[in-house]
Coordinates of all heavy atoms in Angstrom, one line a residue:
N409 N 13.9 9.1 11.4 CA 13.9 8.7 9.9 C 15.1 9.7 9.3 O 15.9 9.1 8.6 CB 12.7 9.2 9.1 CG 11.7 8.2 9.2 OD1 10.4 8.4 9.5 ND2 11.9 7.0 9.1
Y410 N 15.3 10.9 9.6 CA 16.2 11.7 9.1 C 17.7 11.3 9.7 O 18.7 11.4 8.9 CB 16.0 13.3 9.3 CG 14.9 13.7 8.3 CD1 13.7 14.1 8.7 CD2 15.3 14.0 7.0 CE1 12.8 14.5 7.7 CE2 14.5 14.4 6.0 CZ 13.1 14.6 6.4 OH 12.2 15.2 5.6
V411 N 17.6 11.0 11.0 CA 19.0 10.7 11.5 C 19.4 9.5 11.0 O 20.7 9.3 10.7 CB 18.7 10.6 13.1 CG1 20.1 10.0 13.8 CG2 18.5 12.0 13.6
K412 N 18.7 8.5 10.7 CA 19.1 7.2 10.3 C 18.9 6.9 8.9 O 19.3 5.9 8.3 CB 18.4 6.0 11.1 CG 18.6 6.1 12.6 CD 20.0 5.6 12.8 CE 20.4 5.4 14.3 NZ 21.8 4.8 14.5
R413 N 18.5 7.8 8.1 CA 18.2 7.5 6.6 C 19.5 7.2 6.0 O 19.5 6.3 5.0 CB 17.7 8.9 6.1 CG 17.3 8.8 4.7 CD 16.5 10.0 4.1 NE 17.0 11.2 4.2 CZ 16.7 12.4 3.7 NH1 15.6 12.3 3.0 NH2 17.2 13.4 3.9
S414 N 20.7 7.8 6.2 CA 21.9 7.4 5.5 C 22.2 5.8 5.8 O 22.8 5.3 4.8 CB 22.9 8.2 5.9 OG 23.3 8.2 7.3
E415 N 21.9 5.3 6.9 CA 22.2 3.9 7.1 C 21.2 3.1 6.3 O 21.6 1.9 6.0 CB 22.0 3.7 8.6 CG 23.0 4.2 9.6 CD 22.8 3.9 11.0 OE1 22.4 2.7 11.3 OE2 23.1 4.7 11.8
A416 N 20.1 3.5 6.0 CA 19.1 2.8 5.1 C 19.4 2.8 3.7 O 19.0 1.9 2.9 CB 17.7 3.2 5.4
R417 N 20.2 3.9 3.3 CA 20.5 3.9 1.8 C 21.2 2.8 1.4 O 22.1 2.1 1.9 CB 21.4 5.2 1.7 CG 21.5 5.6 0.3 CD 22.1 7.1 0.1 NE 21.0 8.1 0.5 CZ 21.1 8.9 1.4 NH1 22.4 9.0 2.0 NH2 20.2 9.8 1.8
G418 N 20.6 2.3 0.1 CA 21.2 1.1 -0.4 C 20.6 -0.1 0.0 O 20.9 -1.3 -0.5
T419 N 19.7 -0.2 1.0 CA 19.0 -1.4 1.4 C 17.5 -1.2 1.0 O 17.1 -0.1 0.6 CB 19.1 -1.5 2.9 OG1 18.2 -0.5 3.5 CG2 20.5 -1.4 3.4
W420 N 16.7 -2.3 1.1 CA 15.3 -2.2 0.8 C 14.5 -1.4 1.8 O 13.4 -1.0 1.6 CB 14.7 -3.6 0.7 CG 14.8 -4.5 1.8 CD1 15.8 -5.4 2.1 CD2 13.9 -4.6 2.9 NE1 15.5 -6.0 3.3 CE2 14.4 -5.6 3.8 CE3 12.6 -4.2 3.2 CZ2 13.6 -5.9 5.0 CZ3 12.0 -4.3 4.4 CH2 12.6 -5.3 5.2
L421 N 15.1 -1.1 3.0 CA 14.5 -0.3 3.9 C 14.5 1.3 3.6 O 13.7 2.0 4.1 CB 15.2 -0.4 5.4 CG 14.9 -1.7 6.2 CD1 15.7 -1.6 7.4 CD2 13.5 -1.9 6.3
E422 N 15.3 1.6 2.6 CA 15.5 3.0 2.2 C 14.0 3.4 1.7 O 13.6 4.6 1.9 CB 16.4 3.1 0.9 CG 16.6 4.5 0.5 CD 17.6 4.7 -0.6 OE1 18.2 3.7 -1.0 OE2 17.9 5.8 -0.9
S423 N 13.3 2.5 1.0 CA 12.0 2.8 0.6 C 11.0 3.0 1.7 O 10.2 3.9 1.5 CB 11.5 1.7 -0.4 OG 11.3 0.6 0.3
H424 N 11.2 2.4 2.8 CA 10.3 2.6 3.9 C 10.6 3.8 4.6 O 9.6 4.7 4.9 CB 10.5 1.4 5.0 CG 9.9 0.1 4.5 ND1 8.6 0.0 4.8 CD2 10.3 -0.9 4.0 CE1 8.1 -1.2 4.5 NE2 9.1 -1.7 3.7
F425 N 11.8 4.4 4.7 CA 12.3 5.6 5.2 C 11.6 6.6 4.5 O 11.0 7.7 4.9 CB 13.7 5.7 5.4 CG 14.3 5.1 6.6 CD1 14.2 3.7 6.8 CD2 14.8 5.9 7.6 CE1 14.7 3.3 8.0 CE2 15.3 5.5 8.9 CZ 15.4 4.0 9.1
R426 N 11.7 6.6 3.1 CA 11.1 7.5 2.2 C 9.6 7.7 2.3 O 8.9 8.7 2.5 CB 11.5 7.1 0.7 CG 11.1 8.3 -0.2 CD 11.6 7.9 -1.7 NE 11.4 6.6 -2.1 CZ 12.5 5.7 -2.3 NH1 13.6 6.1 -2.0 NH2 12.3 4.5 -2.7
W427 N 9.0 6.4 2.5 CA 7.6 6.3 2.7 C 7.1 6.9 3.9 O 6.2 7.7 3.9 CB 7.2 4.8 2.7 CG 5.7 4.6 2.9 CD1 5.1 4.2 4.0 CD2 4.8 4.4 1.9 NE1 3.8 3.9 3.8 CE2 3.5 4.1 2.4 CE3 4.7 4.7 0.4 CZ2 2.3 3.8 1.8 CZ3 3.6 4.4 -0.2 CH2 2.4 4.0 0.4
Q428 N 7.8 6.8 5.0 CA 7.5 7.3 6.3 C 7.6 8.8 6.2 O 6.8 9.7 6.7 CB 8.4 6.7 7.4 CG 8.0 5.3 7.6 CD 9.1 4.6 8.5 OE1 10.2 4.9 8.5 NE2 8.7 3.5 9.2
I429 N 8.8 9.3 5.6 CA 9.0 10.7 5.6 C 8.0 11.5 4.7 O 7.4 12.5 5.2 CB 10.4 11.0 5.2 CG1 11.4 10.6 6.1 CG2 10.6 12.5 4.7 CD1 12.8 10.6 5.7
R430 N 7.7 11.0 3.6 CA 6.8 11.5 2.7 C 5.3 11.6 3.3 O 4.5 12.6 3.1 CB 6.8 10.8 1.4 CG 7.8 11.1 0.6 CD 7.7 10.4 -0.7 NE 9.0 10.7 -1.6 CZ 9.2 10.3 -2.8 NH1 8.4 9.3 -3.3 NH2 10.1 10.7 -3.5
T431 N 5.0 10.4 4.1 CA 3.7 10.4 4.7 C 3.6 11.8 5.6 O 2.6 12.4 5.7 CB 3.5 9.2 5.5 OG1 3.6 8.1 4.5 CG2 2.2 9.1 6.4
F432 N 4.6 11.9 6.5 CA 4.5 13.1 7.4 C 4.5 14.4 6.6 O 3.5 15.2 6.9 CB 5.9 13.0 8.4 CG 5.8 14.2 9.2 CD1 5.1 13.9 10.5 CD2 6.5 15.3 9.0 CE1 5.2 14.9 11.4 CE2 6.5 16.4 9.9 CZ 5.9 16.2 11.1
W433 N 5.4 14.6 5.7 CA 5.3 16.0 4.8 C 4.2 16.2 4.1 O 3.6 17.2 4.0 CB 6.7 16.1 4.3 CG 7.9 16.3 5.3 CD1 8.9 15.4 5.5 CD2 8.0 17.4 6.1 NE1 9.7 15.9 6.4 CE2 9.2 17.1 6.9 CE3 7.3 18.5 6.4 CZ2 9.6 18.1 7.9 CZ3 7.7 19.4 7.4 CH2 8.9 19.1 8.1

């Protein structure tokens, strides 16, 4: 998630990366 988060920025997948990271933390 952290390694690829910048690639997701600006796409609708950005919200999924945020969701996954927040779930963990």
Side-chain angles (χ1 to χ4, degrees):
N409 276 136
Y410 279 109
V411 168
K412 295 294 191 172
R413 182 167 61 169
S414 63
E415 289 180 36
R417 197 161 286 123
T419 72
W420 59 271
L421 286 180
E422 181 177 8
S423 65
H424 284 274
F425 275 66
R426 185 174 48 251
W427 179 263
Q428 292 165 335
I429 290 169
R430 286 181 178 178
T431 298
F432 182 85
W433 290 113

